[in-house]
Amino acid sequence: SQVTRALLSLTPRLKDELRTITAEEAQGFVADARQRAPEDSGELKRGLRYRLVRGGLGFAGESSAPHSAYVEFGTGGRVEIPDGFDAMAAPFKGRGTKEVNLPARPFFIPAFLVARDRYVARIKAALPRLLQ
């Protein structure tokens, strides 16, 4: 994106600071998601991780536990998909052959929303100092 290209053209000191903020917020996201995740065999919490993207100026959260989406969104008639997350939930939509009604127990999206807002606020706060 245009914003990413502009950020990558900035000084190395600024990029290093932004990468540090990104990594810290990504780690905070995973810690928060693990804390919010329901207790189970531990697979759900252990499967949560992040990866840095866009040269370390962004991060993506992911879960390797196969049941994580069903815990996050619920199943059957108890599915709850937050606004703006339809595309994330779509691959897990059932085919109507079983009726299992497990309630949504969101942990990933709430942690992501907190991390995203904190990340943006930290960058906004750092930019005036870094651009001097």
Side-chain angles (χ1 to χ4, degrees):
S1 76
Q2 189 174 7
V3 172
T4 301
R5 283 191 298 278
L7 288 173
L8 289 173
S9 70
L10 297 173
T11 67
R13 180 180 67 87
L14 176 58
K15 286 193 288 188
D16 287 346
E17 177 92 17
L18 294 175
R19 285 184 182 118
T20 298
I21 291 170
T22 301
E24 289 172 357
E25 291 308 322
Q27 291 165 7
F29 156 72
V30 169
D32 188 15
R34 284 182 178 151
Q35 187 173 33
R36 292 171 186 264
E39 292 296 327
D40 61 0
S41 66
E43 180 183 18
L44 190 59
K45 292 179 187 244
R46 281 191 312 273
L48 292 168
R49 64 182 58 89
Y50 71 90
R51 62 187 163 81
L52 297 175
V53 296
R54 288 183 244 134
L57 298 176
F59 68 91
E62 41 195 45
S63 175
S64 63
H67 62 293
S68 61
Y70 306 108
V71 173
E72 182 77 27
F73 300 119
T75 63
R78 301 187 72 185
V79 170
E80 295 176 26
I81 302 170
D83 289 342
F85 291 90
D86 293 324
M88 179 187 276
F92 305 99
K93 185 175 179 175
R95 292 170 177 59
T97 58
K98 292 182 183 177
E99 186 63 30
V100 179
N101 293 296
L102 299 174
R105 293 176 288 166
F107 61 97
F108 190 91
I109 292 172
F112 167 76
L113 294 173
V114 167
R116 179 194 64 187
D117 292 348
R118 196 174 48 225
Y119 178 62
V120 169
R122 282 187 68 189
I123 288 176
K124 282 182 181 178
L127 282 177
R129 174 179 52 80
L130 294 169
L131 294 174
Q132 290 180 347

